[in-house]
Amino acid sequence: MSKLPKILLLLLTIGFSLQAAGFDCRLMNQYGGGVGTASIRITEAGKSSILDEIVTNQWGEFYTIIENVSIENTQLYPAYPNPSKGSSVVPVLLKDESDIQLETYNIRGQKVSSISVSNAPAGLNQIVWQAIDNTGRELPEGVYIIRLITANYSSSIKVALIEQNGVIIEPGDASNIIDTFTGGSTFDFYIRFANGTNYIKEGVSLSESGVNMVYTTEKLSMPFKAEGEYIQVYRDGEWVSLFLKGINLGAAVPGTSPGALAATREEYADWIEELAQGGLNYLRTYTLHFPRFYEELRTYNLAHPNKPLFLIQGVWLDEEYEGNLVSGQTDKFDDDIAEIIDCMHGNKSISHRFGRAHGDFTSDVSPWVLGYIIGREIHPAEVEKIEEAYDDWTSFTGDHFSIQDTCQLDVWMTARLDHMVDYMQSNYDENKPVSVSSWPTLDPIYHPTEDTPNTDEEDETFNMNDIVAVDAPAGFFMSYHAYPYYPDFMSDDPGYQTFSDSVGPNSYVGYLTDLNNHYDNWPLIIAEFGVPSSWGNARFSHSGMYHGGMTEKEQGHSDVRMLHNIYDTGCAGGFVFAWIDEWFKNSWITAPFDSHTERRQFWQNVTNPEQNYGLIGYREISPDFTRWPTVSASSDILSVKADMDNAFFYIKLQTENPLASGDTIWVGIDTYRADLGEAILPNGTIVNNRAEFALAITSSDHSPLFVTQAYNLYGIWHRRNNVDDPEKKYQSIPSYGAPWEPVRWKNSSDDAYQDIGNLITVKNGGIKTSMDGVEIDGNEILVRLPWSLLQVTDPSLRHVMHDDRSNNDGDPTNTSDREEMETDGILLTVVHNSTTLVTGRCLWEGWNFPSNIVQYEKASYPIFFEGAAEISERP
């Protein structure tokens, strides 16, 4: 029997006819401006008789008097409160007495409950909805769809359930609902814009109080332009400068490569709504996505014309190509540019092709395309090759852009932009701002800390500062990927080190100031910025915003800090990197002991900075510790359990007494082969099965992880060892009394290192973070060890590091041909006081695709969205 309350209150019944009503209105477009000199014909919704004909003034304003309308008032209104804490009120306005059915569905489309109300009277009824299912059980947190069904009407609303507090909401005063909809009926607007194009706006509700904002989608030949220091939008007859707050979108969900673009339609729809409702109005894509992305973008924007999501579309430049000459891609890249523009206009059908989007592109999203960025981060070697091959390429004069007395890459890219603008103008009578992707490695600025000008391991540059717009009305803007920790000059430049922000010293502000000054009078968009929430740190920085080694909360605060830096230095906008974590990515610091390219996406490497930039993360459903038998004792350590998932190896200990101050529990970890490893733990305990690692669980803030001397990978660098240490074998060997060494990462060419193995320990209700390695809660201790810290190179194959340094072509520092071994399971030896517990070998099944993966909002997610909202959209 359902426990859903059938509370039905008739608060007000209103009349169902209207002799005449006048309405102040304003016709608005998706760019935030009034639509001037538009012709409008108004009919009652779904009917053909014209009730009024109007022409808007220059600001889109108009006044309409509507007479003799038969009102059809059945309507489902938004629930309140929303988000809900267990119950909400659902207002339903009925034209006639009717039976009501309210059905509740979860986000997967499964019906979880229903309410039936017989003979509900005409007028406004308020029904109390309680978040329980048909069996009376409380519903879990999430988004639910409530569907209203009457004899002649059906509609749906969404309710977000954030908790269950046991309080049943009482219906409140409904006058605000009545006031908003006293116009009664809904209307259809048939709009003809000044440029001759047409648009139909259906189901418009009007109120006699206040100004009715009627939103429509208007297609302008040039809604945006790059002018001076900013991107500008055309609103109410004038150009208005913007500061763009955006985000970069990838689509490589766990288990997939980037070329698969495997995000589903449902994922795209959810992402688009979350981004737009979160306040980020600008989205950047690097390449063409499948049609479903653009279909969902158009669907959302049409449904939310007052809050659309605008797109900066990328045109990707291939990284693998014949001859290693960028210019060898000219014809293909020009074709790709034309293809992208056609697809944005819903005017392209692409047959199946491997590793790239294809299908029927029929959704015209061009009204919401702000502009285009072509290319990618081009490597210095590519610049050098094109310079060597075409030393006479120093100038280009096109129909739309020209550039003189410059470098070969600048010339080639200018010609590509010229082709893009020509294709837009010739085929679609359209102009949009355009740009070329660049990064600090190729910036044309002199950095005194480098050996020679413009050098950070390279001396090649890319400089579009001298480009001239000949016939490109929407203009050109600069686009840079700029992070606070790379290249080295970002932190080392003594001039940059004099800068600070409200948080503290910040050389990143110095670089942004320098870069923006160099590109004086050009809009400069920092098209990538951000820090990863990875356990591993690949590079330190002067500002304290590192290339990893930061919790999710620290990630959020750093991303907000950088967006403030971008705004305060007068840049035109910033696009945080990135929306989702992408597991396929490589990182130089994990490359020596990470999966091979074709399998990297099958597991989550939480230590890899490049895989953990997202505000949205993915994780496996929590382990339940039923995979392997529990080992028990009667004192000190009562039990030892273990489990694993695609990211961590877990250990759970039950102790007889809480861990005392100064006390230590030692855990020997044998990751493969009982005949390999060190036989004596750091505390002197002899272990029969030997061990590659030893963890000291302490009651302090950190619990250190140690590795045997032979198996220590400290200093391994791009699969090389910087210091020729014959004791480092990169494989486990049998030893007795050999030194134990702390697990550390050498993360630069100098003496800098990260104590990544010094695990954060949270105790007895302390504040948890995304990087906690040890959690102590009274008599229970939970340990989670990232696979890379145990030198498991691929948990999906059960492979561990077992390199043969003798296979080095005569170079003792060379370990590029890395060898691995399949583990026979992980064995634990737990020692506390007089008790020693030894588990069996914990051997798991491999996998060829990750399972039980759920998406979640990182702790950085609300921090960034709330912080971004505090920054003005106006410079």
Side-chain angles (χ1 to χ4, degrees):
M1 188 74 178
S2 173
K3 294 183 181 179
L4 288 172
K6 295 180 172 58
I7 301 174
L8 184 64
L9 298 180
L10 177 61
L11 296 185
L12 186 61
T13 303
I14 66 174
F16 296 101
S17 63
L18 187 64
Q19 296 303 312
F23 304 97
D24 278 310
C25 304
R26 191 175 185 210
L27 189 64
M28 303 289 292
N29 65 16
Q30 71 272 34
Y31 309 115
V35 182
T37 63
S39 301
I40 304 175
R41 289 183 176 181
I42 302 176
T43 71
E44 195 173 354
K47 299 184 179 180
S48 59
S49 298
I50 297 173
L51 302 175
D52 200 2
E53 294 187 72
I54 315 103
V55 176
T56 64
N57 67 14
Q58 61 179 319
W59 299 286
E61 299 167 337
F62 65 97
Y63 183 79
T64 180
I65 297 176
I66 299 176
E67 299 180 346
N68 299 322
V69 178
S70 61
I71 306 299
E72 304 214 0
N73 284 9
T74 297
Q75 178 70 48
L76 173 65
Y77 297 119
Y80 69 89
N82 190 6
S84 172
K85 294 185 177 181
S87 69
S88 293
V89 177
V90 179
V92 179
L93 188 63
L94 296 178
K95 179 182 187 298
D96 302 304
E97 180 182 290
S98 176
D99 293 340
I100 292 175
Q101 184 82 8
L102 278 185
E103 297 178 341
T104 303
Y105 296 83
N106 61 27
I107 201 64
R108 294 184 295 277
Q110 300 166 321
K111 185 163 71 172
V112 295
S113 70
S114 63
I115 267 184
S116 296
V117 179
S118 300
N119 302 320
L124 184 69
N125 299 265
Q126 298 205 82
I127 301 174
V128 175
W129 172 83
Q130 192 174 348
I132 56 180
D133 64 18
N134 281 329
T135 67
R137 293 177 299 186
E138 293 183 343
L139 296 176
E141 296 176 5
V143 176
Y144 292 90
I145 299 165
I146 299 176
R147 182 170 179 78
L148 167 72
I149 303 172
T150 70
N152 301 305
Y153 178 83
S154 65
S155 185
S156 299
I157 57 174
K158 287 184 179 180
V159 173
L161 177 62
I162 58 174
E163 63 175 280
Q164 291 271 7
N165 66 2
V167 177
I168 298 178
I169 295 296
E170 294 289 336
D173 182 9
S175 60
N176 61 329
I177 298 174
I178 299 299
D179 288 344
T180 304
F181 295 96
T182 49
S185 184
T186 58
F187 306 94
D188 293 340
F189 282 50
Y190 296 84
I191 304 163
R192 186 171 181 82
F193 299 115
N195 62 7
T197 59
N198 300 307
Y199 187 85
I200 301 175
K201 179 73 172 180
E202 298 179 314
V204 178
S205 297
L206 297 177
S207 172
E208 290 185 90
S209 61
V211 177
N212 295 277
M213 309 298 281
V214 180
Y215 287 93
T216 185
T217 298
E218 185 180 20
K219 194 166 185 178
L220 302 179
S221 62
M222 191 171 75
F224 298 99
K225 70 174 181 178
E227 183 73 24
E229 297 284 339
Y230 295 98
I231 302 295
Q232 297 184 337
V233 63
Y234 191 70
R235 288 178 182 166
D236 296 335
E238 63 178 353
W239 289 98
V240 179
S241 295
L242 300 172
F243 177 76
L244 308 184
K245 297 182 290 184
I247 198 163
N248 288 276
L249 176 70
V253 293
T256 69
S257 62
L261 294 162
T264 65
R265 180 179 298 277
E266 292 74 22
E267 285 172 318
Y268 277 132
D270 289 344
W271 295 348
I272 289 167
E273 182 165 5
E274 285 186 70
L275 288 170
Q277 296 301 321
L280 293 184
N281 303 112
Y282 305 95
L283 177 67
R284 179 194 174 201
T285 59
Y286 296 88
T287 189
L288 184 68
H289 287 234
F290 278 99
R292 56 182 177 267
F293 166 67
Y294 303 99
E295 291 162 4
E296 291 303 321
L297 179 63
R298 179 178 172 83
T299 297
Y300 175 84
N301 284 345
L302 288 175
H304 302 83
N306 61 326
K307 196 176 181 63
L309 189 64
F310 293 101
L311 176 66
I312 292 185
Q313 175 67 44
V315 185
W316 185 255
L317 179 67
D318 288 347
E319 294 184 272
E320 297 180 5
Y321 45 90
E322 190 174 347
N324 294 323
L325 267 177
V326 172
S327 56
Q329 297 191 62
T330 299
D331 291 342
K332 179 184 180 302
F333 197 43
D334 283 351
D335 289 344
D336 288 346
I337 288 171
E339 177 182 275
I340 288 283
I341 295 170
D342 287 339
C343 290
M344 295 307 100
H345 288 82
N347 188 30
K348 191 72 175 178
S349 182
I350 304 173
S351 58
H352 182 274
R353 56 190 180 184
F354 180 76
R356 298 180 66 191
H358 53 268
D360 294 325
F361 292 83
T362 57
S363 288
D364 183 0
V365 296
S366 61
W368 303 282
V369 174
L370 182 147
Y372 297 91
I373 299 176
I374 68 172
R376 54 169 168 80
E377 294 175 351
I378 294 178
H379 301 288
E382 296 176 285
V383 181
E384 185 177 5
K385 280 187 173 293
I386 194 173
E387 287 176 348
E388 292 173 351
Y390 301 100
D391 59 0
D392 58 338
W393 282 10
T394 58
S395 300
F396 171 80
T397 301
D399 293 333
H400 307 281
F401 287 110
S402 68
I403 196 166
Q404 307 296 322
D405 300 323
T406 188
C407 298
Q408 289 77 3
L409 182 61
D410 308 352
V411 169
W412 189 76
M413 281 298 191
T414 301
R416 308 287 68 74
L417 292 175
D418 190 80
H419 166 68
M420 170 170 265
V421 172
D422 187 73
Y423 195 86
M424 276 192 285
Q425 288 187 5
S426 300
N427 292 273
Y428 297 102
D429 189 26
E430 180 181 73
N431 286 281
K432 296 287 177 72
V434 295
S435 185
V436 178
S437 186
S438 191
W439 58 324
T441 300
L442 295 183
D443 77 28
I445 301 172
Y446 170 69
H447 301 290
T449 58
E450 303 302 317
D451 293 334
T452 59
N454 310 317
T455 300
D456 183 77
E457 302 173 0
E458 313 90 10
D459 59 2
E460 307 301 334
T461 66
F462 175 48
N463 183 14
M464 301 292 287
N465 204 26
D466 295 324
I467 194 170
V468 175
V470 178
D471 178 22
F476 172 80
F477 63 96
M478 302 296 169
S479 170
Y480 266 74
H481 300 174
Y483 295 86
Y485 37 76
Y486 181 81
D488 286 340
F489 65 68
M490 197 75 67
S491 288
D492 295 345
D493 189 303
Y496 296 162
Q497 290 180 358
T498 64
F499 285 81
S500 62
D501 59 10
S502 61
V503 178
N506 193 346
S507 59
Y508 186 59
V509 175
Y511 179 73
L512 293 176
T513 301
D514 204 3
L515 189 66
N516 202 27
N517 288 341
H518 176 82
Y519 291 115
D520 188 38
N521 208 38
W522 292 105
L524 170 62
I525 291 178
I526 305 304
E528 274 191 22
F529 71 92
V531 297
S533 63
S534 58
W535 289 42
N537 171 21
R539 194 176 291 257
F540 290 102
S541 75
H542 172 266
S543 64
M545 297 182 288
Y546 301 150
H547 192 184
M550 307 189 78
T551 67
E552 291 177 359
K553 287 185 178 180
E554 291 170 334
Q555 176 193 35
H557 289 300
S558 293
D559 285 352
V560 170
R561 182 183 180 188
M562 281 180 277
L563 188 60
H564 275 282
N565 297 157
I566 292 165
Y567 180 86
D568 293 340
T569 53
C571 296
F575 284 66
V576 70
F577 185 83
W579 175 238
I580 63 172
D581 284 347
E582 295 186 295
W583 294 1
F584 77 91
K585 290 189 173 180
N586 190 20
S587 173
W588 69 266
I589 200 164
T590 58
F593 47 90
D594 201 346
S595 292
H596 300 289
T597 302
E598 67 277 5
R599 298 194 62 86
R600 195 177 295 121
Q601 63 269 23
F602 295 154
W603 62 286
Q604 181 185 12
N605 189 345
V606 298
T607 70
N608 182 333
E610 296 301 313
Q611 292 184 14
N612 293 277
Y613 275 97
L615 301 180
I616 293 290
Y618 297 90
R619 58 189 173 202
E620 192 168 337
I621 297 172
S622 300
D624 59 10
F625 292 94
T626 60
R627 190 185 309 268
W628 299 302
T630 300
V631 179
S632 303
S634 59
S635 63
D636 293 326
I637 300 294
L638 300 181
S639 67
V640 179
K641 300 179 180 180
D643 208 338
M644 51 74 63
D645 62 20
N646 71 78
F648 298 98
F649 184 82
Y650 297 90
I651 305 168
K652 181 180 280 190
L653 308 178
Q654 186 75 30
T655 62
E656 184 178 24
N657 299 298
L659 195 61
S661 177
D663 203 358
T664 301
I665 297 173
W666 285 95
V667 182
I669 307 171
D670 180 11
T671 56
Y672 71 117
R673 284 183 53 176
D675 61 326
L676 301 178
E678 170 58 38
I680 304 176
L681 295 183
N683 70 337
T685 299
I686 298 175
V687 290
N688 294 330
N689 285 277
R690 302 181 177 271
E692 280 71 41
F693 297 91
L695 174 64
I697 300 174
T698 75
S699 60
S700 66
D701 292 335
H702 291 86
S703 296
L705 179 67
F706 299 90
V707 62
T708 62
Q709 183 182 48
Y711 206 37
N712 191 357
L713 301 185
Y714 179 78
I716 199 167
W717 189 278
H718 287 280
R719 299 187 180 179
R720 296 178 66 87
N721 180 24
N722 282 356
V723 180
D724 182 20
D725 183 351
E727 300 302 326
K728 286 186 169 60
K729 308 296 184 182
Y730 299 161
Q731 62 174 268
S732 185
I733 62 172
S735 60
Y736 194 92
W740 287 94
E741 298 179 348
V743 173
R744 291 175 173 173
W745 278 11
K746 184 177 176 61
N747 55 6
S748 72
S749 56
D750 54 26
D751 293 330
Y753 65 87
Q754 178 194 6
D755 263 325
I756 190 171
N758 201 21
L759 303 181
I760 296 174
T761 302
V762 60
K763 304 179 293 294
N764 302 319
I767 298 175
K768 297 180 181 181
T769 78
S770 58
M771 288 173 55
D772 295 337
V774 177
E775 181 182 344
I776 301 175
D777 186 7
N779 293 43
E780 193 166 87
I781 299 173
L782 176 65
V783 179
R784 57 177 192 162
L785 295 166
W787 288 116
S788 282
L789 294 193
L790 296 178
Q791 291 162 206
V792 176
T793 60
D794 187 342
S796 70
L797 291 177
R798 300 196 299 265
H799 283 184
V800 297
M801 186 75 164
H802 189 75
D803 197 33
D804 181 3
R805 289 193 63 190
S806 64
N807 182 17
N808 55 26
D809 298 326
D811 180 358
T813 69
N814 186 4
T815 183
S816 58
D817 295 326
R818 184 191 65 197
E819 287 79 34
E820 302 162 296
M821 182 175 289
E822 184 173 344
T823 179
D824 53 351
I826 294 177
L827 182 143
L828 306 174
T829 302
V830 183
V831 179
H832 186 217
N833 297 330
S834 60
T835 300
T836 298
L837 281 181
V838 181
T839 70
R841 288 209 168 268
C842 304
L843 184 64
W844 60 95
E845 293 184 5
W847 63 89
N848 288 312
F849 199 87
S851 60
N852 301 319
I853 304 299
V854 294
Q855 175 184 301
Y856 75 99
E857 295 175 2
K858 293 185 181 179
S860 55
Y861 179 101
I863 294 171
F864 180 75
F865 277 99
E866 291 168 12
E870 297 171 356
I871 299 175
S872 173
E873 292 186 344
R874 298 291 298 274

